[in-house]
Amino acid sequence: MTGGLTGDRMAAPLATNFSLPSGLPSFPVAGYSIIGAMPKPCVLLQLRPETAAADDEYDAVLRMGGLAPGDLIRVQMDREFPDLTLDDFSAVIVGGGPSNVSNPEERKYDYQREFEPKLRKLLNEIVARDFPYLGACYGLSILADVLGGRVSEERYGETVGATSIELTAQARQDPLLADLPQSFRAFVGHKEACQEVPPGAVLLADSAGCPVQMVRVGEHVYATQFHPELDGDGLALRIEIYRNAGYFDPEEADLLTELGHRESVPIPAEILRRFMHRYYLDR
């Protein structure tokens, strides 16, 4: 799958480059696109210019979220970021990638300078409407920045690998986190981080090395510093792709891969699965 908006099954027109399969009627109903009463798809906004990394991220979100390809439209923002209408979707997901929100404009990638203003505008609408959102890594940084929080490389960057995440007292009452273990392992790897909890956000999880690991804004806007879609195989692929990107000493790549394969990280995937069930699969 390449460029723009893509998906293997489409329930209703979502943008100017979408069309219904011939002969299938559509009827407007709030919250749904009706072909057999199907809920509207979710959309994954990606910023990984490396094809293998982007494809694996998309496949991982499908697999960990319990989705079929037609349930999740992908937008590869490094190639094109068409205008999106939130009412065409059930939820928005923003993944990670080599872009850093806190970089000065002259250090940002050309494609980042193109998509970031449009993404900020979309996120302002998401926050204002309390629209279902799950951001991971960069998806947390851009949300925090939109909220007026401080994101930088000053402190709390984490090398690639697993870390122990601790849920806060507020997490005990959260529908995505209730009854999960107080502590669990998750994969991380980032240069920049939130320097404090963003304004208006509730801290749901932290760690010894990074005090903002998961937040919620309103009732339906979530973001994590860790990667809920990532398992040992996915980590190994990213280690190889980003070997020389400054996340770790390239000579440590093989050791980091081995350590990743030794880890058991089921809880982050469960959080992603619960998000998909709450905002899409159980609707």
Side-chain angles (χ1 to χ4, degrees):
M1 299 179 182
T2 58
L5 287 151
T6 57
D8 290 346
R9 185 176 74 239
M10 286 170 278
L14 301 174
T16 56
N17 53 339
F18 279 91
S19 61
L20 279 169
S22 177
L24 291 178
S26 178
F27 306 95
V29 174
Y32 287 83
S33 300
I34 297 298
I35 296 176
M38 292 173 61
K40 298 174 183 179
C42 302
V43 60
L44 172 64
L45 306 183
Q46 297 186 280
L47 53 141
R48 298 186 185 276
E50 310 85 4
T51 298
D55 288 350
D56 186 72
E57 179 184 58
Y58 176 73
D59 291 341
V61 173
L62 291 179
R63 186 172 65 255
M64 301 301 185
L67 304 177
D71 299 330
L72 184 65
I73 305 300
R74 66 189 293 194
V75 175
Q76 295 177 266
M77 298 187 295
D78 57 291
R79 304 182 184 188
E80 179 187 6
F81 193 3
D83 292 331
L84 300 180
T85 301
L86 288 181
D87 290 335
D88 288 335
F89 303 101
S90 291
V92 175
I93 303 162
V94 175
S99 297
N100 284 323
V101 170
S102 61
N103 279 351
E105 288 299 306
E106 62 272 15
R107 285 180 53 201
K108 292 183 178 181
Y109 300 104
D110 290 342
Y111 63 81
Q112 183 183 0
R113 289 195 293 268
E114 288 290 326
F115 78 69
E116 214 162 59
K118 297 180 71 172
L119 181 57
R120 290 179 190 278
K121 180 180 178 182
L122 186 69
L123 273 167
N124 273 299
E125 183 181 358
I126 285 170
V127 171
R129 293 179 53 177
D130 199 11
F131 190 87
Y133 172 85
L134 180 60
C137 203
Y138 175 91
L140 168 62
S141 292
I142 189 67
L143 173 65
D145 192 64
V146 164
L147 292 171
R150 190 160 61 95
V151 179
S152 78
E153 298 183 22
E154 179 183 350
R155 297 173 295 174
Y156 311 132
E158 296 176 288
T159 191
V160 171
T163 193
S164 294
I165 307 296
E166 299 288 335
L167 295 181
T168 66
Q170 292 91 332
R172 300 291 75 181
Q173 306 301 318
D174 187 88
L176 299 190
L177 305 174
D179 73 25
L180 290 181
Q182 177 71 29
S183 178
F184 59 86
R185 301 286 278 175
F187 286 128
V188 298
H190 54 101
K191 300 174 184 177
E192 66 179 7
C194 296
Q195 299 303 298
E196 63 271 321
V197 179
V202 174
L203 182 67
L204 298 177
D206 58 20
S207 70
C210 183
V212 182
Q213 285 285 355
M214 184 171 183
V215 301
R216 188 190 69 238
V217 181
E219 296 297 322
H220 308 299
V221 176
Y222 292 88
T224 66
Q225 185 64 74
F226 59 86
H227 287 274
E229 84 287 357
L230 206 54
D231 61 10
D233 290 338
L235 180 73
L237 177 65
R238 291 186 193 175
I239 288 173
E240 182 58 33
I241 291 172
Y242 299 115
R243 180 186 289 260
N244 297 303
Y247 291 98
F248 52 86
D249 183 342
E251 294 184 359
E252 297 180 352
D254 291 343
L255 175 60
L256 292 173
T257 297
E258 180 183 348
L259 292 174
H261 281 305
R262 294 179 188 174
E263 290 286 346
S264 176
V265 290
I267 302 304
E270 174 64 13
I271 294 171
L272 175 57
R273 188 191 69 82
R274 290 184 179 191
F275 179 87
M276 292 302 185
H277 271 272
R278 185 182 186 197
Y279 296 113
Y280 179 70
L281 292 170
D282 292 343
R283 291 190 64 182

